[in-house]
């Protein structure tokens, strides 16, 4: 069974920084894309950033220049460094991973989410 566990959320003042981590564990053969999504109160979940196994990244326009996604392939871990945080960054941040446990079938797995509150 595969699990994705996030850590690093919390309360921070506007302009501050946070670093999120998401570790995938279990019977994992390989992980392709890993990403971070967020859902603000009353809004739909949106992509924040994603990274391929080879290191190609993609960011939402709203976080470009402030957030940095990275990953440790050996440790099946993805990180999100968030700087210059704004109140509109508040929400539940969830990681996901497109992974295979047998090399043939690929599925998207999600973490449980971690709350981030940015106070003004």
């Amino acid at each position: 069974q595969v699990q994705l566990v996030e850590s690093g959320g919390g309360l921070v003042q506007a302009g501050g920084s946070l670093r999120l981590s998401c570790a995938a564990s279990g019977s994992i053969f390989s992980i392709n894309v890993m990403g971070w999504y967020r859902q603000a109160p009353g809004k739909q979940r949106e992509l924040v950033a994603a990274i391929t196994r080879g290191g190609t990244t993609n960011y939402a326009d709203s976080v470009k220049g402030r957030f940095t996604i990275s990953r440790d392939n050996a440790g099946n871990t993805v990180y999100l460094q968030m700087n210059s945080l704004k109140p509109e960054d508040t929400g539940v941040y969830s990681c996901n991973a497109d992974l295979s446990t047998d090399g043939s079938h690929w599925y998207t797995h999600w973490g449980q989410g971690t709350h981030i509150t940015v106070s003004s």
Side-chain angles (χ1 to χ4, degrees), residues 40-112:
K43 295 187 177 181
Q44 289 190 329
R45 185 166 59 188
E46 63 175 350
L47 173 69
V48 175
I51 184 168
T52 68
R53 184 173 184 82
T56 300
T57 58
N58 180 39
Y59 294 93
D61 287 343
S62 60
V63 306
K64 284 180 180 176
R66 299 189 297 123
F67 291 10
T68 302
I69 189 170
S70 60
R71 65 188 280 178
D72 171 11
N73 288 329
N76 292 331
T77 302
V78 64
Y79 305 96
L80 187 67
Q81 178 67 43
M82 303 181 292
N83 298 328
S84 302
L85 283 160
K86 304 175 181 180
E88 51 263 43
D89 294 319
T90 293
V92 177
Y93 284 68
S94 303
C95 69
N96 78 350
D98 292 329
L99 64 85
S100 175
T101 58
D102 60 5
S104 298
H105 302 88
W106 295 82
Y107 300 98
T108 299
H109 295 258
W110 289 87
Q112 80 285 356

Side-chain angles (χ1 to χ4, degrees), residues 1-6 21-28 31 34 75-78 95-97 99 101 108-113:
Q1 186 174 353
V2 175
Q3 279 191 315
L4 272 65
V5 179
E6 299 108 335
S21 299
C22 172
S25 62
S27 181
I28 298 171
I31 301 178
M34 301 186 81
N76 292 331
T77 302
V78 64
C95 69
N96 78 350
L99 64 85
T101 58
T108 299
H109 295 258
W110 289 87
Q112 80 285 356

